[in-house]
Amino acid sequence: GFVVGHAGLYQALAMFAVAYFIIGMTVLSVCAIATNGALDAGGAYYMISRALGPEFGGSIGIMFFLANVCGSALYVLGLVEAVVDSFGILPGQEAGTGVHVLPRSYWYELLYGTVLLALCLLVCLVGASIYAKATFLIFLIVAAVLGTILVSFFATRPLKVPIRLPNINGTETDNGFFTGFSLNTLRDNLGGEYGVDYTTGQMMSFSSVFAVMFNGCTGIMAGSNMSGDLKRPSYSIPRGTISAVLFTYLVYNLLAFLMCATCNRILLQKDYGFLRDISIFPPLVTVGIYAATLSAAMSNLIGASRILYALARDDLFGRALVLAKKTSASGNPVMAVILSWLVVQIVLFSGKLNTIASVVTIFFLLVYATVNLACLALEWASAPNFRPTFRYFTWHTCLLGIAGCCVMMFLISPVSASASLGFLLLLLLALHYLSPSSTWGYISQALIFHQVRKYLLMLDVRKDHVKFWRPQMLLMVQNPRGSARLIDFVNDLKKSGLYVLGHVELQDLDMLPSDPLQPQQDSWLSLVDKLNVKAFVSLTLAPSVRHGVRQLLFTSGLGGMRPNTLVLGFYDDEAPQDGLARHPAFTSAREEVPLGFPPLRAPAAPKLLSAREYVGIVADALKMLRNVLLARQLESLDKAWELRRAASPPPTIHVWPVNLLRPDSARYADTCSLFLLQMACVLNMARAWRRARLRLFLCVEAGTMPHAQEEKLRQLLKDLRIQAQIQLVPWDAITRLHWQTCQGPPGGPEEEEEEEEGVVNFPTNTTQVSDEYVCAANKLVLEQSPAPAVRFLYLPRPPADTSLYPLYLHQLELLTRGLGPTVLVHGVSAVTSTQL
């Protein structure tokens, strides 16, 4: 009567259509999720949490708990209004007469609500079985009342119904009319005519009337809320829910038409209990109203308690809900029921039904939208295990349900809807950072997999362009205990590219009962999490380290995301230091290096690979057209101290883009030099290194026009958009050492032949460089002050003669001895572009 009295028949039918469209789409989603596996206590919360993960599940669980709590309070207040309307002292009278003996005031009505809520509490404390029997009895009563009302529309003769309304000066009397079936009455009630709600004094509108009406449709979740108490929830929930929706929709539409055709607008708007006045047996209508509202209040109270119990059992909120876990001997969550009752009692202080109707409606709409979102996510993820036996839904129905809920939320109350979404977001963030990890499975992982696979297929390596090149690193790690700072440093070098931590285990799978790498995987993933690096982990078994690195270079990555740069620690005789033991992520009181990595190699223990095999790995990578970085003494780099020290002068990055082991072919614009420049620039672009300054060293000889070389290099840096300070370094004395050990002057027949071949690093060059020259070059680099945070040096190509590998490694060791954190770089691919 309230709905059609204010909105008229047309708008009332539209409200029912919109409400049941939203409910219908949600019911399809509920049925799909309910038939996709075993359900436990918690209803919608259980469905959402197991589909969308603990963050969404926990936050929506709280919202759904509040919705049921407020809904229970709303129905109790509705029942109080009905009781006071029937038995309350008439407005304007001080003493009661006849059956009208109950005092009317805010505190008396609060008392009546408390008593009725206590009755609901007693039923819910006994358990779900008595509740089920009580609701079945109530269903029979309501069905009998409904039949009586339908008969009354036809059997009752036209009559005048006096209406007493409260007024400032006492009471006001108005008359409503039951006209029987009348075309004029129907015509008058077709359009909307919103007036003042006589219980609150507020002007009604489409949104406020819809908010009140929608609360009569929220019982669709009553069955799913009892999922833990049903014997066959996957069978009962779809059939019971769909039947209830269809039945109530037909009854509401039929009643709306009958009321509009037989009752004038004054009666509909100003007497919410008019059905009792026109009934052929008025007491039965009163009993029916009481029974229906009491049943709805109990339904919401027991639903709220089951949701609270499920939240407590899942430990999402820690000790805050520990009381709600306690159950009776029969399994009834009595403490959850009592806590829910307390919250409902607090809500009762709001006083009037229509005051909280909009809040309850928005909470329910938010829950319904999330149920649809859960089903939509499961459908879009295309997981093989999502195969519900209920198939009458598609992703279109889920999307329509979400859209309908969101639109109606903001139509009802933009402020309340925004506040509810803000509260939901706060809960999401709190649970994301504070709740423990779960084993339910995360739909986000399935959706990410689905999207990543799709986009990886779209990532075509044939469309690669140098403008969009980025480093994709494969860092080989023997033992993370000795490589923590190197792992962090390479993370700064990757520039949003692929980063893979590779490890080779020297074992033979034929001799083992199972794969030994699987137990190690969790330790490596935990290491990545604790070091806060964005890296993948790739482990392999091989008879030698060299074979293992080859495997990883061939197989790491997927599609267009494959490593293009190999990073190795330096091969020297320094004793490894346990970096994890000193790392901040592992030095707190609760963390005592719990990862399952073996102790570091003792200084006297033999190494897992020889010097020749190490250089062979570098040669293999270059043959496979991978760039190579050799990192020496990176474990001594205290990045936090370097970047926090006094702002003047800022930390520096020294860059030597010339092949110091080949002074007779020093160039600054070959592929390797440009790659070295690019890597130094990438490091400087990382957030942690932005305060650092690049310093580029230009080695010049007398009589070679150094200023012209400097200007040429400055123009190159300008074209590449690299900001760096250029410093000229005379090295005549050092190159003289080189020419003294070489046969013949520069530009001899052998060199001319090599220059024609266009090769910079020659196989025979290793034997032409003396230790004296290399030590002098090392001293030249070391003398440049102030000392940098890190140095980038040119890495020559290994000689073709494998017997020279030890000599080649020896020269690299002399060149970088005592330099501190140093990265030797050799690039084989073009990585810089001067084009837009």
Side-chain angles (χ1 to χ4, degrees):
F2 169 81
V3 176
V4 294
H6 287 282
L9 181 61
Y10 290 154
Q11 291 189 37
L13 295 180
M15 287 182 186
F16 293 142
V18 171
Y20 275 87
F21 173 79
I22 294 171
I23 289 168
M25 298 301 102
T26 306
V27 164
L28 297 181
S29 299
V30 168
C31 294
I33 299 175
T35 58
N36 188 53
L39 276 179
D40 207 339
Y45 158 72
Y46 188 86
M47 298 177 191
I48 294 168
S49 61
R50 269 48 178 185
L52 298 183
E55 295 94 345
F56 250 108
S59 52
I60 287 296
I62 290 294
M63 301 293 282
F64 198 29
F65 168 74
L66 293 176
N68 277 276
V69 161
C70 293
S72 181
L74 182 139
Y75 289 120
V76 169
L77 291 173
L79 181 53
V80 168
E81 283 190 13
V83 170
V84 171
D85 197 40
S86 301
F87 302 105
I89 297 174
L90 297 175
Q93 296 183 1
E94 294 184 1
T97 57
V99 295
H100 300 284
V101 293
L102 295 179
R104 290 174 182 260
S105 73
Y106 168 80
W107 293 106
Y108 274 112
E109 290 179 8
L110 179 62
L111 175 63
Y112 306 151
T114 303
V115 172
L116 293 171
L117 183 61
L119 178 61
C120 297
L121 173 66
L122 290 175
V123 173
C124 295
L125 283 176
V126 173
S129 58
I130 189 68
Y131 165 75
K133 294 173 183 176
T135 50
F136 181 71
L137 177 61
I138 290 171
F139 169 73
L140 295 178
I141 294 171
V142 171
V145 172
L146 181 61
T148 304
I149 290 172
L150 292 177
V151 172
S152 299
F153 281 113
F154 295 92
T156 304
R157 295 181 178 180
L159 57 88
K160 181 173 69 172
V161 181
I163 304 170
R164 287 176 175 267
L165 299 173
N167 198 355
I168 299 175
N169 301 321
T171 60
E172 177 185 339
T173 303
D174 205 345
N175 292 316
F177 292 91
F178 175 77
T179 63
F181 286 96
S182 168
L183 190 59
N184 291 330
T185 304
L186 179 61
R187 191 180 296 115
D188 291 339
N189 288 329
L190 289 178
E193 190 177 312
Y194 294 98
V196 176
D197 175 23
Y198 71 86
T199 63
T200 62
Q202 297 176 352
M203 186 67 185
M204 292 291 99
S205 63
F206 181 91
S207 60
S208 58
V209 172
F210 180 85
V212 176
M213 181 276 300
F214 192 80
N215 285 287
C217 312
T218 55
I220 63 164
M221 288 295 183
S224 62
N225 287 344
M226 299 291 294
S227 55
D229 301 299
L230 298 173
K231 290 182 179 179
R232 298 171 60 193
S234 297
Y235 176 85
S236 304
I237 289 175
R239 285 161 178 78
T241 305
I242 293 174
S243 302
V245 168
L246 293 175
F247 178 74
T248 54
Y249 179 65
L250 293 174
V251 168
Y252 283 165
N253 280 275
L254 178 60
L255 287 176
F257 174 77
L258 293 175
M259 290 174 185
C260 286
T262 58
C263 303
N264 75 339
R265 195 175 292 272
I266 293 175
L267 181 63
L268 294 173
Q269 281 191 354
K270 298 185 177 181
D271 184 6
Y272 299 157
F274 72 94
L275 288 176
R276 182 177 57 249
D277 299 321
I278 67 170
S279 173
I280 57 175
F281 187 54
L284 187 59
V285 175
T286 303
V287 172
I289 293 172
Y290 296 169
T293 48
L294 195 64
S295 168
M298 283 192 297
S299 171
N300 280 269
L301 179 61
I302 201 166
S305 67
R306 295 309 190 265
I307 295 165
L308 189 64
Y309 171 66
L311 284 166
R313 196 176 58 178
D314 287 337
D315 279 328
L316 295 183
F317 295 90
R319 297 181 180 179
L321 298 179
V322 68
L323 275 176
K325 291 183 181 180
K326 296 185 178 180
T327 61
S328 65
S330 60
N332 186 32
V334 289
M335 288 307 300
V337 172
I338 293 172
L339 290 172
S340 302
W341 166 76
L342 283 173
V343 181
V344 176
Q345 183 64 57
I346 293 170
V347 178
L348 285 180
F349 282 92
S350 63
K352 291 295 181 182
L353 181 151
N354 293 352
T355 306
I356 59 173
S358 61
V359 176
V360 177
T361 299
I362 286 172
F363 279 177
F364 273 112
L365 284 170
L366 198 56
V367 173
Y368 293 170
T370 314
V371 171
N372 284 302
L373 178 63
C375 189
L376 178 68
L378 290 168
E379 179 70 6
W380 274 356
S382 302
N385 284 323
F386 182 62
R387 42 180 187 270
T389 55
F390 182 87
R391 296 300 305 166
Y392 302 102
F393 78 100
T394 66
W395 65 268
H396 304 86
T397 60
C398 302
L399 209 56
L400 287 172
I402 295 171
C405 290
C406 293
V407 169
M408 291 312 303
M409 278 170 54
F410 283 93
L411 281 179
I412 290 168
S413 175
V415 175
S416 299
S418 302
S420 300
L421 288 172
F423 181 54
L424 176 65
L425 184 60
L426 285 175
L427 286 172
L428 272 171
L429 293 174
L431 286 171
H432 179 72
Y433 289 107
L434 300 177
S435 69
S437 59
S438 71
T439 57
W440 306 335
Y442 293 81
I443 190 64
S444 58
Q445 295 298 304
L447 290 171
I448 290 169
F449 178 89
H450 186 268
Q451 293 301 107
V452 167
R453 181 194 64 85
K454 182 172 73 174
Y455 286 116
L456 271 176
L457 290 172
M458 296 169 62
L459 190 61
D460 191 345
V461 293
R462 295 168 295 184
K463 297 179 182 178
D464 281 347
H465 194 279
V466 67
K467 287 191 299 184
F468 308 112
W469 180 91
R470 66 181 71 239
Q472 306 202 71
M473 304 293 197
L474 171 60
L475 171 62
M476 297 305 304
V477 180
Q478 178 187 343
N479 190 331
R481 292 186 182 277
S483 308
R485 288 181 175 173
L486 176 58
I487 292 171
D488 183 60
F489 178 79
V490 177
N491 187 62
D492 291 335
L493 270 180
K494 71 181 188 306
K495 188 54 182 174
S496 303
L498 178 68
Y499 184 16
V500 180
L501 298 180
H503 173 72
V504 179
E505 193 77 15
L506 298 182
Q507 296 191 56
D508 186 357
L509 191 59
D510 289 340
M511 308 299 294
L512 298 170
S514 62
D515 180 8
L517 299 178
Q518 291 300 322
Q520 298 182 28
Q521 191 78 19
D522 286 344
S523 293
W524 283 86
L525 293 176
S526 297
L527 173 78
V528 168
D529 292 339
K530 291 182 181 298
L531 293 180
N532 196 26
V533 296
K534 298 176 181 178
F536 297 95
V537 174
S538 187
L539 312 179
T540 189
L541 286 177
S544 69
V545 175
R546 187 174 182 181
H547 280 88
V549 175
R550 283 179 184 171
Q551 291 176 19
L552 293 176
L553 285 172
F554 276 126
T555 61
S556 291
L558 199 62
M561 294 188 68
R562 292 184 179 277
N564 56 27
T565 304
L566 175 67
V567 186
L568 301 171
F570 197 77
Y571 190 94
D572 55 25
D573 295 324
E574 292 186 13
Q577 302 294 323
D578 194 339
L580 289 189
R582 304 189 305 271
H583 197 279
F586 298 92
T587 53
S588 64
R590 291 178 298 174
E591 301 287 352
E592 298 180 356
V593 196
L595 303 178
F597 298 116
L600 289 170
R601 175 183 60 85
K607 297 181 179 179
L608 294 179
L609 76 165
S610 64
R612 182 171 302 211
E613 187 179 6
Y614 176 83
V615 179
I617 292 172
V618 176
D620 291 344
L622 296 177
K623 290 177 185 177
M624 297 165 68
L625 298 181
R626 302 298 202 277
N627 311 297
V628 176
L629 273 62
L630 304 183
R632 185 172 192 184
Q633 293 186 351
L634 261 296
E635 287 305 302
S636 66
L637 173 63
D638 190 344
K639 185 176 74 172
W641 180 85
E642 288 284 354
L643 301 178
R644 281 202 308 263
R645 64 182 181 177
S648 180
T652 57
I653 300 171
H654 284 190
V655 183
W656 295 78
V658 63
N659 186 355
L660 294 174
L661 295 185
R662 183 65 192 269
D664 52 342
S665 62
R667 297 178 183 177
Y668 288 89
D670 67 351
T671 300
C672 187
S673 297
L674 292 177
F675 181 81
L676 189 149
L677 276 174
Q678 180 82 322
M679 295 311 299
C681 181
V682 165
L683 180 65
N684 193 210
M685 293 168 70
R687 179 177 299 177
W689 291 87
R690 284 177 185 167
R691 281 191 57 248
R693 296 291 180 264
L694 288 181
R695 180 173 293 173
L696 191 61
F697 293 93
L698 175 60
C699 297
V700 295
E701 297 181 55
T704 57
M705 296 186 295
H707 293 293
Q709 293 183 37
E710 180 183 2
E711 187 59 32
K712 184 178 179 182
L713 182 57
R714 196 177 303 280
Q715 184 61 41
L716 175 64
L717 293 177
K718 183 179 179 181
D719 292 340
L720 296 176
R721 290 91 59 206
I722 297 176
Q723 295 183 356
Q725 174 190 351
I726 298 176
Q727 183 170 330
L728 300 180
V729 180
W731 69 334
D732 298 80
I734 297 161
T735 56
R736 193 177 300 117
L737 290 173
H738 175 67
W739 304 129
Q740 289 173 358
T741 58
C742 290
Q743 297 180 0
E750 181 182 350
E751 182 175 346
E752 289 177 0
E753 180 183 349
E754 291 170 344
E755 291 290 346
E756 288 175 3
E757 294 176 3
V759 180
V760 177
N761 306 297
F762 299 101
T764 57
N765 186 53
T766 305
T767 58
Q768 296 178 4
V769 178
S770 66
D771 287 356
E772 184 183 8
Y773 163 77
V774 177
C775 290
N778 169 264
K779 185 179 180 182
L780 176 71
V781 174
L782 193 59
E783 287 175 346
Q784 307 307 314
S785 61
V790 65
R791 290 181 172 90
F792 283 84
L793 301 185
Y794 191 114
L795 174 67
R797 182 183 288 270
D801 185 356
T802 57
S803 63
L804 298 177
Y805 281 180
L807 179 59
Y808 168 81
L809 186 59
H810 171 68
Q811 291 175 353
L812 294 181
E813 195 278 329
L814 288 179
L815 179 64
T816 57
R817 182 179 294 176
L819 294 184
T822 304
V823 182
L824 291 160
V825 181
H826 190 97
V828 296
S829 55
V831 296
T832 57
S833 173
T834 59
Q835 299 176 355
L836 183 63

